[in-house]
Short mmCIF file of all heavy atoms in Angstrom, two decimals:
data_model
loop_
_atom_site.label_atom_id
_atom_site.label_comp_id
_atom_site.label_asym_id
_atom_site.label_seq_id
_atom_site.Cartn_x
_atom_site.Cartn_y
_atom_site.Cartn_z
N VAL A 48 35.26 -9.19 11.75
CA VAL A 48 34.53 -7.96 12.12
C VAL A 48 34.89 -7.56 13.56
O VAL A 48 34.06 -7.11 14.33
CB VAL A 48 33.00 -8.11 11.92
CG1 VAL A 48 32.65 -7.98 10.45
CG2 VAL A 48 32.48 -9.44 12.45
N SER A 49 36.16 -7.74 13.87
CA SER A 49 36.67 -7.46 15.21
C SER A 49 36.69 -5.97 15.55
O SER A 49 36.98 -5.61 16.69
CB SER A 49 38.07 -8.05 15.37
OG SER A 49 38.07 -9.43 15.12
N HIS A 50 36.40 -5.13 14.56
CA HIS A 50 36.32 -3.69 14.83
C HIS A 50 35.09 -3.33 15.63
O HIS A 50 35.02 -2.25 16.22
CB HIS A 50 36.37 -2.90 13.52
CG HIS A 50 35.26 -3.21 12.56
ND1 HIS A 50 34.86 -4.48 12.25
CD2 HIS A 50 34.46 -2.40 11.83
CE1 HIS A 50 33.88 -4.45 11.38
NE2 HIS A 50 33.61 -3.19 11.12
N MET A 51 34.09 -4.21 15.68
CA MET A 51 32.87 -3.94 16.43
C MET A 51 33.20 -3.76 17.92
O MET A 51 34.19 -4.29 18.42
CB MET A 51 31.87 -5.08 16.26
CG MET A 51 31.45 -5.32 14.82
SD MET A 51 30.42 -4.01 14.12
CE MET A 51 28.83 -4.43 14.83
N GLY A 52 32.36 -3.00 18.61
CA GLY A 52 32.58 -2.73 20.03
C GLY A 52 31.77 -3.63 20.94
O GLY A 52 30.67 -4.06 20.57
N GLU A 53 32.33 -3.95 22.10
CA GLU A 53 31.64 -4.80 23.08
C GLU A 53 31.69 -4.16 24.46
O GLU A 53 32.77 -3.80 24.94
CB GLU A 53 32.29 -6.19 23.16
CG GLU A 53 32.13 -7.04 21.90
CD GLU A 53 33.25 -6.85 20.89
OE1 GLU A 53 34.29 -6.28 21.26
OE2 GLU A 53 33.07 -7.24 19.72
N PHE A 54 30.52 -4.02 25.08
CA PHE A 54 30.42 -3.53 26.46
C PHE A 54 29.79 -4.61 27.32
O PHE A 54 28.80 -5.23 26.90
CB PHE A 54 29.53 -2.28 26.56
CG PHE A 54 29.89 -1.14 25.66
CD1 PHE A 54 28.91 -0.22 25.27
CD2 PHE A 54 31.19 -0.93 25.20
CE1 PHE A 54 29.22 0.86 24.45
CE2 PHE A 54 31.51 0.14 24.38
CZ PHE A 54 30.51 1.03 24.00
N LEU A 55 30.33 -4.81 28.51
CA LEU A 55 29.69 -5.69 29.50
C LEU A 55 28.96 -4.81 30.51
O LEU A 55 29.56 -3.92 31.12
CB LEU A 55 30.74 -6.54 30.23
CG LEU A 55 31.14 -7.87 29.60
CD1 LEU A 55 32.19 -8.56 30.48
CD2 LEU A 55 29.94 -8.81 29.40
N ILE A 56 27.68 -5.07 30.68
CA ILE A 56 26.87 -4.36 31.67
C ILE A 56 26.42 -5.41 32.69
O ILE A 56 25.79 -6.40 32.31
CB ILE A 56 25.63 -3.70 31.03
CG1 ILE A 56 26.01 -2.90 29.79
CG2 ILE A 56 24.89 -2.84 32.05
CD1 ILE A 56 26.83 -1.67 30.04
N SER A 57 26.77 -5.22 33.94
CA SER A 57 26.48 -6.26 34.94
C SER A 57 26.06 -5.67 36.27
O SER A 57 26.08 -4.44 36.47
CB SER A 57 27.71 -7.16 35.12
OG SER A 57 28.83 -6.40 35.53
N GLY A 58 25.68 -6.57 37.19
CA GLY A 58 25.26 -6.17 38.52
C GLY A 58 23.75 -6.09 38.63
O GLY A 58 23.01 -6.23 37.64
N PRO A 59 23.25 -5.87 39.85
CA PRO A 59 21.80 -5.87 40.08
C PRO A 59 21.04 -4.78 39.33
O PRO A 59 19.83 -4.88 39.14
CB PRO A 59 21.68 -5.67 41.61
CG PRO A 59 23.02 -5.21 42.06
CD PRO A 59 24.02 -5.72 41.09
N ASN A 60 21.74 -3.73 38.88
CA ASN A 60 21.08 -2.63 38.17
C ASN A 60 21.29 -2.68 36.66
O ASN A 60 20.92 -1.74 35.95
CB ASN A 60 21.57 -1.28 38.70
CG ASN A 60 21.27 -1.11 40.18
OD1 ASN A 60 20.22 -1.54 40.66
ND2 ASN A 60 22.18 -0.51 40.92
N ALA A 61 21.88 -3.77 36.18
CA ALA A 61 22.21 -3.88 34.75
C ALA A 61 20.97 -3.78 33.86
O ALA A 61 20.94 -3.02 32.89
CB ALA A 61 22.96 -5.18 34.48
N LEU A 62 19.93 -4.53 34.21
CA LEU A 62 18.71 -4.53 33.39
C LEU A 62 18.05 -3.15 33.40
O LEU A 62 17.55 -2.70 32.37
CB LEU A 62 17.75 -5.60 33.87
CG LEU A 62 16.45 -5.74 33.06
CD1 LEU A 62 16.75 -6.06 31.60
CD2 LEU A 62 15.53 -6.81 33.66
N ASP A 63 18.06 -2.48 34.56
CA ASP A 63 17.46 -1.14 34.64
C ASP A 63 18.15 -0.18 33.67
O ASP A 63 17.49 0.62 33.00
CB ASP A 63 17.57 -0.59 36.07
CG ASP A 63 16.66 -1.31 37.05
OD1 ASP A 63 15.73 -1.99 36.59
OD2 ASP A 63 16.89 -1.21 38.26
N LEU A 64 19.47 -0.26 33.60
CA LEU A 64 20.21 0.62 32.69
C LEU A 64 19.87 0.31 31.23
O LEU A 64 19.62 1.22 30.43
CB LEU A 64 21.72 0.48 32.93
CG LEU A 64 22.62 1.29 31.98
CD1 LEU A 64 22.34 2.79 32.09
CD2 LEU A 64 24.10 0.99 32.26
N ILE A 65 19.87 -0.97 30.89
CA ILE A 65 19.58 -1.37 29.51
C ILE A 65 18.17 -0.97 29.11
O ILE A 65 17.93 -0.48 28.00
CB ILE A 65 19.82 -2.89 29.33
CG1 ILE A 65 21.33 -3.17 29.41
CG2 ILE A 65 19.26 -3.38 28.01
CD1 ILE A 65 21.68 -4.62 29.56
N GLN A 66 17.21 -1.13 30.04
CA GLN A 66 15.83 -0.73 29.76
C GLN A 66 15.72 0.78 29.54
O GLN A 66 14.92 1.24 28.73
CB GLN A 66 14.91 -1.16 30.90
CG GLN A 66 14.64 -2.66 30.95
CD GLN A 66 13.74 -3.12 29.81
OE1 GLN A 66 14.18 -3.26 28.67
NE2 GLN A 66 12.48 -3.37 30.12
N LYS A 67 16.53 1.53 30.25
CA LYS A 67 16.48 2.99 30.12
C LYS A 67 17.05 3.47 28.79
O LYS A 67 16.48 4.36 28.14
CB LYS A 67 17.28 3.64 31.28
CG LYS A 67 17.36 5.16 31.22
CD LYS A 67 16.00 5.81 31.39
CE LYS A 67 16.10 7.34 31.36
NZ LYS A 67 14.75 7.96 31.45
N VAL A 68 18.17 2.88 28.35
CA VAL A 68 18.86 3.43 27.16
C VAL A 68 18.46 2.76 25.85
O VAL A 68 18.72 3.32 24.78
CB VAL A 68 20.40 3.36 27.32
CG1 VAL A 68 20.85 4.19 28.52
CG2 VAL A 68 20.90 1.92 27.43
N SER A 69 17.82 1.59 25.90
CA SER A 69 17.49 0.88 24.65
C SER A 69 16.00 0.91 24.38
O SER A 69 15.18 1.02 25.30
CB SER A 69 17.99 -0.57 24.71
OG SER A 69 17.27 -1.31 25.67
N SER A 70 15.64 0.79 23.11
CA SER A 70 14.24 0.91 22.71
C SER A 70 13.46 -0.40 22.84
O SER A 70 12.25 -0.38 23.05
CB SER A 70 14.17 1.39 21.26
OG SER A 70 14.77 0.44 20.39
N ASN A 71 14.13 -1.52 22.70
CA ASN A 71 13.45 -2.81 22.78
C ASN A 71 13.24 -3.19 24.25
O ASN A 71 13.81 -2.56 25.15
CB ASN A 71 14.26 -3.89 22.06
CG ASN A 71 13.38 -4.99 21.48
OD1 ASN A 71 12.27 -5.22 21.95
ND2 ASN A 71 13.88 -5.66 20.46
N ASP A 72 12.44 -4.21 24.50
CA ASP A 72 12.14 -4.63 25.87
C ASP A 72 13.08 -5.76 26.28
O ASP A 72 12.86 -6.92 25.94
CB ASP A 72 10.69 -5.08 25.98
CG ASP A 72 10.28 -5.42 27.40
OD1 ASP A 72 11.14 -5.32 28.32
OD2 ASP A 72 9.12 -5.81 27.62
#
Side-chain angles (χ1 to χ4, degrees):
V48 283
S49 302
H50 60 314
M51 300 291 280
E53 293 90 14
F54 306 154
L55 273 180
I56 311 292
S57 59
N60 300 323
L62 182 59
D63 289 343
L64 176 60
I65 290 167
Q66 287 289 77
K67 177 65 178 177
V68 299
S69 68
S70 62
N71 209 336
D72 185 0

